[in-house]
Amino acid sequence: MRLRLVPDNTRIDFFRYMRFWLAVSILGILGSFASIAVFGLNYGVDFRGGTLIMAATPEEHDVAEFRGLLTELDVGDVGVTTASDTTGAGRHVVLMRLGVTGEDATNQREVIAQVQAALDQAFPGISYLQVDTVGAKVSDELVLDGVLAVLLSVIGIMFYIWIRFEWQFGLGAAASLLHDAIVVVGLFSLFQMEFDLTIVAAVLTVLGFSINDTVVVFDRVREVLRKYKRMPLVEVLNLAFNETLSRTVMTVLTTMLALLAILIFGGPTVRGFSVAVILGIVIGTYSSIYVASAVVLWFGVKRDWGSAKGETGAKRDARV
């Protein structure tokens, strides 16, 4: 017996409160920009520059002990968190982020050696699992590269949708993806969660998930347009969303199960990634309805898909 989370013949009117949800989307984007302007982003070592030391001790120690020692050494901003040991060796793993910046590699090595010597003396038996250093210049380049990666991904996806469907669908997809990226980054700013290259990878993952869902819906919209050439566009979109609802729910739930497992058992190293993707999936599913489709509904689409000279002015159908 096939599992059915959604009835086959749903008749949900997704566009009944279209104006309200559009207002929510606009407020979400404006709020994200405001949060970034006021609070900024809590950049990690990748973007801010500094040193990350992952160490393990045979006995458990309070993070305050590590933080106090590092603060006395005057190594800039200090952040200390614990991590789970996935090897089963019974070690106690701690992550230390130091604000050791500058372009002098020799000076950085000397500071790291000084920190390790102090840790060796204070915590006998400590071992170093990972030591990463990012200079200030490299971190600035990474910020630019991260922004370019997101923008180029959106532009590439927009042209792909444009070629496969119509320009209205391309604009809708681009608006949806920009909405998703801005709101996810805004939430990281609002809650001051650490933002590093892992989060950039998560945002790109979210864009991929979101466009996959959007393409499935747009493909169904095209099929319905071919079948019902005189049906108002808002009804076409509603029918397409209802027909793909079961697939959307199953995809979101199965992905969420995997992400929740990563969030709970993955430890602090991948926690930011899992949180970003979870937020992005929820926001992306929402935006495929109330952002991407809203743009298509506003501009209208060709009514006769098989003809290059078919009707295009469907705005009169968009009474929402």
Side-chain angles (χ1 to χ4, degrees):
M1 181 177 181
R2 187 164 63 93
L3 177 63
R4 297 176 185 272
L5 297 179
V6 178
D8 289 334
N9 298 318
T10 57
R11 291 292 183 268
I12 301 173
D13 186 357
F14 289 98
F15 297 93
R16 183 176 181 180
Y17 302 106
M18 184 68 173
R19 295 181 187 276
F20 170 78
W21 292 115
L22 278 176
V24 170
S25 298
I26 294 171
L27 287 175
I29 292 174
L30 294 178
S32 297
F33 281 125
S35 178
I36 294 171
V38 174
F39 302 113
L41 290 169
N42 180 22
Y43 288 120
V45 172
D46 295 334
F47 292 138
R48 187 172 52 194
T51 300
L52 171 67
I53 299 177
M54 179 184 290
T57 58
E59 298 179 357
E60 186 175 4
H61 296 274
D62 192 275
V63 293
E65 299 181 45
F66 291 94
R67 189 178 293 111
L69 175 63
L70 297 173
T71 303
E72 291 177 2
L73 294 175
D74 192 21
V75 289
D77 295 335
V78 173
V80 182
T81 57
T82 58
S84 58
D85 181 18
T86 58
T87 64
R91 301 176 302 182
H92 300 279
V93 182
V94 61
L95 296 174
M96 293 167 282
R97 293 174 175 82
L98 317 176
V100 182
T101 58
E103 299 307 316
D104 189 345
T106 302
N107 179 65
Q108 286 184 338
R109 285 195 295 267
E110 291 176 353
V111 173
I112 293 172
Q114 178 187 359
V115 170
Q116 289 179 329
L119 291 171
D120 289 337
Q121 183 177 359
F123 307 101
I126 190 172
S127 58
Y128 302 99
L129 309 178
Q130 179 182 344
V131 178
D132 292 326
T133 301
V134 179
K137 182 178 180 180
V138 174
S139 64
D140 291 339
E141 294 175 354
L142 291 175
V143 172
L144 178 61
D145 291 344
V147 173
L148 286 177
V150 174
L151 291 179
L152 291 176
S153 298
V154 172
I155 293 172
I157 289 171
M158 181 182 71
F159 278 105
Y160 165 74
I161 300 297
W162 189 333
I163 293 171
R164 178 168 176 177
F165 297 97
E166 293 288 332
W167 64 269
Q168 299 95 328
F169 292 96
L171 286 180
S176 173
L177 296 180
L178 286 174
H179 169 274
D180 299 345
I182 291 170
V183 174
V184 169
V185 174
L187 289 173
F188 267 76
S189 170
L190 179 63
F191 295 106
Q192 286 296 289
M193 292 181 285
E194 187 174 75
F195 192 89
D196 53 21
L197 282 179
T198 304
I199 307 305
V200 175
V203 172
L204 294 175
T205 303
V206 166
L207 299 187
F209 183 93
S210 179
I211 196 60
N212 178 65
D213 188 54
T214 303
V215 166
V216 169
V217 174
F218 282 173
D219 201 49
R220 186 58 59 89
V221 169
R222 181 167 58 179
E223 292 176 2
V224 177
L225 283 171
R226 287 170 174 167
K227 187 176 181 180
Y228 304 103
K229 293 183 174 59
R230 296 186 179 277
M231 179 182 288
L233 183 56
V234 65
E235 295 182 17
V236 170
L237 292 169
N238 252 328
L239 181 59
F241 278 113
N242 277 285
E243 289 182 350
T244 57
L245 184 59
S246 179
R247 176 259 174 203
T248 300
V249 171
M250 289 294 292
T251 304
V252 170
L253 287 180
T254 52
T255 308
M256 282 292 187
L257 288 175
L259 289 169
L260 287 173
I262 295 174
L263 178 64
I264 296 171
F265 303 108
T269 306
V270 293
R271 183 169 295 145
F273 176 88
S274 57
V275 169
V277 178
I278 288 173
L279 292 173
I281 286 177
V282 175
I283 296 168
T285 304
Y286 157 85
S287 69
S288 65
I289 302 174
Y290 295 110
V291 178
S293 296
V295 173
V296 174
L297 191 60
W298 174 258
F299 286 103
V301 293
K302 184 163 54 181
R303 304 301 303 185
D304 183 3
W305 210 276
S307 170
K309 297 182 180 180
E311 294 181 47
T312 57
K315 282 187 182 180
R316 62 181 179 276
D317 296 330
R319 297 188 179 92
V320 295

